[in-house]
Amino acid sequence: MLLLLLMPHAPVLALEFVMLARFSSPSPAPAPRWHEVLKAWAGEVVMGLLTFAWRQPWRWRSVPDHLPASAQGRRGVLLIHGFVCNRGLWLPWLERLRALGRPCMAINLEPVFGSIDDYVPLVEAAVARLESATGQPPLIVAHSMGGLATRAWLRQHQADARCAGVVTIGTPHRGTWLARFALTANGRQMRRGGPWLAALSTAEPPQRYQRFTCYFSHCDNIVFPAATAMLPGADNRHLAGTAHVDLVTRPEVFEEVLRRLDAPAA
């Protein structure tokens, strides 16, 4: 009973994994084994506490953006969170990027339950600020719905030349099964086969996806089936045994971001 009081989200996460097992597909990644699912669930329980009970409500302002005068000539990174999150999700990333002297920003997508299109001006303002501070197009790193906000920004501003590429982490590029239960505007926009996603895809040039690296997992308890987090022609990479929020902690993702920050713009 004490554990349930301390971790009330644990049973909810368990239910999500049950639905993942029931309604997901083994393609493009093999179905997870029971020990991978258990590991993913445990990791997400811990990340849920750290993210939703500590970093986001109480600490989201604790690590400021890093745009020093020395940022000129150094490519920066823009961090964009997902559904019902805020920039507190990225605190460990901001700390590491600041320690490495990398120009970086993390924004809050507001209104929390608004349309994804409402976030385009926020992304535009952040990109412009990074461009001004560094003289370089930034690399965009987006978790979950943040990847859709990025694609909406690219569509509205035809801004391919204004970013050095995009790394998405568990983004429902083709929707998610769970969105059928959504009541909010942005939640409904993430429904599989929905009109918003269809219009977004129709407006995008196919070559745009070549500038994306898309991380997905067969243990993603929010974005499933796993193939929905992939884009055709993108560099799609599977991270086994990792749940939705916990994906941002995987060292492979951070290492890839550092590599792309030092690479020529795509």
Side-chain angles (χ1 to χ4, degrees):
M1 180 62 70
L2 178 60
L3 286 176
L4 185 59
L5 291 173
L6 292 174
M7 298 184 294
H9 62 302
V12 177
L13 291 173
L15 178 60
E16 291 171 352
F17 279 100
V18 169
M19 290 188 286
L20 165 66
R22 173 65 179 83
F23 298 106
S24 194
S25 164
S27 179
R33 299 180 178 180
W34 70 266
H35 64 87
E36 291 177 310
V37 173
L38 183 60
K39 171 181 173 288
W41 172 80
E44 198 75 346
V45 168
V46 173
M47 274 300 293
L49 286 173
L50 288 173
T51 302
F52 296 103
W54 178 240
R55 290 172 181 156
Q56 291 189 168
W58 309 111
R59 300 285 296 166
W60 66 272
R61 294 185 182 91
S62 63
V63 184
D65 298 332
H66 185 59
L67 298 174
S70 60
Q72 273 294 323
R74 302 196 68 191
R75 180 167 297 124
V77 56
L78 174 59
L79 303 169
I80 306 177
H81 66 78
F83 185 65
V84 297
C85 286
N86 65 29
R87 71 187 299 278
L89 173 76
W90 299 108
L91 293 185
W93 279 63
L94 289 167
E95 290 170 348
R96 292 184 67 185
L97 290 167
R98 287 174 64 91
L100 293 170
R102 303 282 186 167
C104 55
M105 285 185 63
I107 60 174
N108 286 334
L109 298 181
E110 296 174 331
V112 174
F113 298 121
S115 167
I116 295 173
D117 297 303
D118 293 339
Y119 307 140
V120 169
L122 301 173
V123 176
E124 169 64 18
V127 169
R129 189 176 170 204
L130 275 160
E131 287 174 320
S132 176
T134 67
Q136 301 279 334
L139 177 69
I140 297 178
V141 180
H143 178 249
S144 195
M145 184 190 69
L148 298 180
T150 302
R151 288 172 60 193
W153 168 74
L154 285 166
R155 173 184 61 179
Q156 182 167 321
H157 290 273
Q158 292 300 302
D160 299 78
R162 295 181 56 210
C163 72
V166 182
V167 176
T168 64
I169 309 166
T171 288
H173 288 297
R174 290 187 282 169
T176 174
W177 186 90
L178 281 179
R180 66 186 60 207
F181 304 115
L183 300 176
T184 65
N186 46 8
R188 292 193 300 269
Q189 287 170 328
M190 291 186 278
R191 288 175 177 166
R192 295 184 69 193
W196 189 87
L197 284 173
L200 177 64
S201 298
T202 300
E204 293 172 313
Q207 65 271 20
R208 178 171 293 164
Y209 299 157
Q210 297 172 12
R211 308 181 71 236
F212 280 68
T213 299
C214 302
Y215 286 96
F216 67 98
S217 176
H218 60 181
C219 284
D220 191 324
N221 54 305
I222 298 296
V223 177
F224 60 85
T228 60
M230 302 170 63
L231 285 171
D235 181 4
N236 297 298
R237 303 187 184 188
H238 180 232
L239 297 172
T242 310
H244 187 64
V245 179
D246 203 23
L247 283 169
V248 301
T249 71
R250 288 290 293 258
E252 302 95 320
V253 183
F254 192 83
E255 290 163 6
E256 172 63 12
V257 167
L258 292 183
R259 186 196 70 79
R260 293 194 64 168
L261 284 173
D262 292 330

